[in-house]
Amino acid sequence: MKLDDTDRAILRALQADARTPFSEIARQIDMSSATVHDRVNRMEEAGVITGYHASVDPKEVSLGISAFVGLRVEQGREKDTLKKLEDIDGIQEVHLTTGSWDVMARVYARDAESLRELMFDTIAQMDGFARSQTMVVLGSPYESKELPLDGMVEE
């Protein structure tokens, strides 16, 4: 789908606060609410907008530890391993990567003991697991859920 400046303005507003009423977005970009609604529907149908989510502070829901985990999986077991990772509580993100690790995962746990259980009792016991490296997050001074929409190159 080809996005124009108006589409990008709507996306910026929704990324900043997905609960912004279409009437407010329309006022910000000098359009009618119906036009904004139609454009959002079009972007949803095209798969540009994939959902709306609440941003939750992990610490406020007793998830005090976050870590990035690099995983090496046995050759030929990648699909099975990826599917199993999706079903494990505590794994928030799974990414296929190049470099030293086949997979990078972001995990959350209540405390150090819970992280140890996740790593040693769950992940390390999976068929296809070869090795891993866990990097505990000490702080996150900057995180953004918003994609940079300015300067996008049109196809």
Side-chain angles (χ1 to χ4, degrees):
M1 171 180 186
K2 196 169 194 175
L3 300 177
D4 63 16
D5 289 341
T6 300
D7 293 326
R8 286 191 289 279
I10 293 168
L11 289 172
R12 276 192 296 280
L14 290 174
Q15 284 188 133
D17 183 358
R19 295 179 61 171
T20 304
F22 290 165
S23 59
E24 174 60 21
I25 296 171
R27 187 193 63 71
Q28 290 173 11
I29 62 174
D30 196 27
M31 287 205 145
S32 73
S33 293
T35 300
V36 170
H37 186 267
D38 289 344
R39 283 178 175 252
V40 168
N41 282 342
R42 183 173 50 91
M43 288 188 282
E44 288 172 345
E45 289 170 6
V48 173
I49 297 173
T50 59
Y52 302 88
H53 311 279
S55 182
V56 177
D57 184 338
K59 291 179 191 112
E60 295 298 322
V61 293
S62 300
L63 295 172
I65 290 187
S66 173
F68 291 97
V69 179
L71 295 166
R72 178 67 89 196
V73 297
E74 294 173 3
Q75 199 167 12
R77 305 294 303 266
E78 295 88 350
K79 272 189 178 179
D80 293 340
T81 303
L82 291 172
K83 184 64 183 149
K84 288 176 187 166
L85 289 171
E86 289 177 24
D87 296 331
I88 296 173
D89 286 339
I91 296 183
Q92 182 68 25
E93 301 172 16
V94 176
H95 306 275
L96 293 172
T97 59
T98 61
S100 300
W101 304 106
D102 301 318
V103 175
M104 286 297 294
R106 174 110 189 224
V107 303
Y108 287 91
R110 284 188 317 277
D111 51 32
E113 178 61 20
S114 298
L115 179 60
R116 188 207 61 75
E117 289 172 4
L118 175 64
M119 294 309 305
F120 291 101
D121 299 345
T122 305
I123 294 174
Q125 300 305 313
M126 291 186 329
D127 289 338
F129 172 84
R131 64 185 177 96
S132 67
Q133 179 179 10
T134 303
M135 294 149 276
V136 173
V137 174
L138 299 176
S140 298
Y142 177 76
E143 285 186 74
S144 177
K145 304 291 186 218
E146 298 177 23
L147 294 175
L149 300 172
D150 293 323
M152 291 174 44
V153 177
E154 293 296 326
E155 295 179 6

